[in-house]
Amino acid sequence: MLVWSTIARLPVKIVDEINRLPETKQSIILDGLERGKWEYLNQGLINDEFCLFATANYQDQGTNTLVPPLLDRFDVVVESRHPGANIACLIGQSSTRETLLRHPDSEGAFLEALQSTRNGQKAPDLEPLHRRFAKVVRERCDVVLLSRAERQAVRQEIAALTMTLEANALLRMVLAELSFCCKYGQKRSSEVCDEGCHYTGYLCYEVRNCASNRLPASIYRYAQALAWWCGSPQVEVEHIRTILPYALAHRTQWRESYLLARERERRQEPLLLHAARHATAAVLHRFHEQRHDLLASLGTAARVLDGEDLPPPQGDHPLYSEIRRDLGLD
């Protein structure tokens, strides 16, 4: 009889120091992380609601390299920074910081419920236990936890937000620069751009890997969430710009020369996040320079696809080559 572990049943999973997992173990959580589906011995368990958070130490002798497929399944990455001397001093003086959220009765009830079923059967409804613990958190911390219905309502509101034409064009520019290669058709980690390439001034020259199909989904989802949080009726350029560094930092494999150029720059964050922020600023600058022509070209391409006989868009940015290719002209 297959007995599922408690972590497989939990809707929210937290993996501490994930880069201490050996590479052979990292693949176990790939599908579970992305789809909430856990499989073992031809049996499966699906989390109706799921998300995963992970912490990772800086590289040392006890850490392992996270495989690219696992990294790509994390939507965003942020640094948990030292809070500074003043706040750290206050934290150190707090006598309740280790027990603030401890509630043995709730912990025991959750554990009993999660262990009450076997063989992939659906776990019992945990919502009553959620509500009971939410009341404890509100009384102790004055923090309101959302119910399942409230979370679903928020997700629906977020998903309903559309992207402005400008934000859509910026996202297309970023994806074009991270995937385009004029010589080899697309970026591949095994193929390096030639020195003196015509597109040297774009990100396609500075990266070694190709953007995955998960990247735009991550950017769009988090940009939607940010727009909702800010009360914006649509996803705008500023929302895309804000999310981009956090969605790119852990996924992008940069040329060594690009990282070396960023390494000695003054910064307040890790090198990879700093490099992604620098790259975002460069693309945003090009977007503002070419905004009107680019929007007009995307509009022309849409009309050509609808059957109008118009001259194809022309421009120097990699996105124009992508447009001509999709129109069957290259």
Side-chain angles (χ1 to χ4, degrees), residues 18-283:
I18 193 172
N19 56 345
R20 295 195 185 278
L21 282 176
E23 292 186 12
T24 54
K25 301 295 184 183
Q26 293 176 24
S27 60
I28 294 176
I29 63 175
L30 287 179
D31 283 343
L33 194 161
E34 183 178 25
R35 297 184 295 154
K37 184 177 182 180
W38 304 84
E39 296 181 337
Y40 187 70
L41 297 178
N42 294 323
Q43 295 192 35
L45 176 70
I46 298 177
N47 299 135
D48 294 331
E49 186 179 35
F50 67 95
C51 62
L52 184 141
F53 300 89
T55 68
N57 290 335
Y58 299 111
Q59 290 297 118
D60 58 37
Q61 293 182 345
T63 61
N64 299 296
T65 301
L66 292 178
V67 296
L70 179 58
L71 284 173
D72 192 34
R73 282 166 169 78
F74 284 97
D75 287 316
V76 294
V77 61
V78 295
E79 182 186 28
S80 178
R81 300 178 59 184
H82 186 271
N86 297 320
I87 297 178
C89 184
L90 294 175
I91 293 174
Q93 295 174 16
S94 174
S95 59
T96 62
R97 66 188 182 93
E98 299 294 341
T99 59
L100 188 62
L101 295 178
R102 292 301 304 271
H103 192 250
D105 289 345
S106 292
E107 292 174 22
F110 275 116
L111 187 60
E112 182 181 356
L114 290 167
Q115 293 180 338
S116 64
T117 53
R118 298 290 186 268
N119 295 323
Q121 299 175 24
K122 189 173 182 179
D125 185 16
L126 300 178
E127 190 62 21
L129 299 179
H130 290 164
R131 290 196 295 268
R132 188 188 310 169
F133 183 62
K135 183 178 179 180
V136 174
V137 173
R138 184 166 189 171
E139 291 173 350
R140 289 184 182 180
C141 310
D142 196 26
V143 173
V144 178
L145 302 182
L146 300 180
S147 67
R148 177 179 296 177
E150 290 170 331
R151 293 193 299 271
Q152 290 175 343
V154 168
R155 292 192 189 101
Q156 290 173 359
E157 290 179 13
I158 291 174
L161 294 181
T162 58
M163 189 182 294
T164 65
L165 292 176
E166 290 82 0
N168 184 281
L170 173 60
L171 181 55
R172 288 172 187 249
M173 282 188 71
V174 172
L175 296 175
E177 292 198 27
L178 292 174
S179 60
F180 173 79
C181 181
C182 64
K183 183 175 182 179
Y184 301 116
Q186 71 162 65
K187 297 297 300 181
R188 299 182 183 87
S189 58
S190 59
E191 299 168 341
V192 181
C193 291
D194 296 333
E195 296 291 337
C197 172
H198 175 72
Y199 293 93
T200 298
Y202 299 101
L203 295 185
C204 54
Y205 183 77
E206 304 293 357
V207 301
R208 296 188 293 110
N209 63 322
C210 183
S212 76
N213 289 329
R214 294 184 181 90
L215 174 61
S218 297
I219 296 171
Y220 194 22
R221 279 199 302 268
Y222 272 74
Q224 283 179 308
L226 178 60
W228 176 87
W229 182 261
C230 295
S232 175
Q234 285 187 292
V235 177
E236 300 177 358
V237 166
E238 184 62 17
H239 302 129
I240 299 292
R241 181 203 66 79
T242 302
I243 294 300
L244 274 172
Y246 304 103
L248 295 178
H250 57 299
R251 288 177 161 108
T252 309
Q253 299 174 22
W254 300 101
R255 272 179 177 256
E256 185 177 357
S257 58
Y258 186 80
L259 286 182
L260 287 175
R262 310 278 80 79
E263 189 174 23
R264 299 302 178 186
E265 293 176 343
R266 189 178 183 87
R267 51 189 166 91
Q268 298 290 326
E269 50 198 359
L271 177 58
L272 292 180
L273 186 52
H274 173 72
R277 196 176 300 283
H278 186 278
T280 297
V283 177

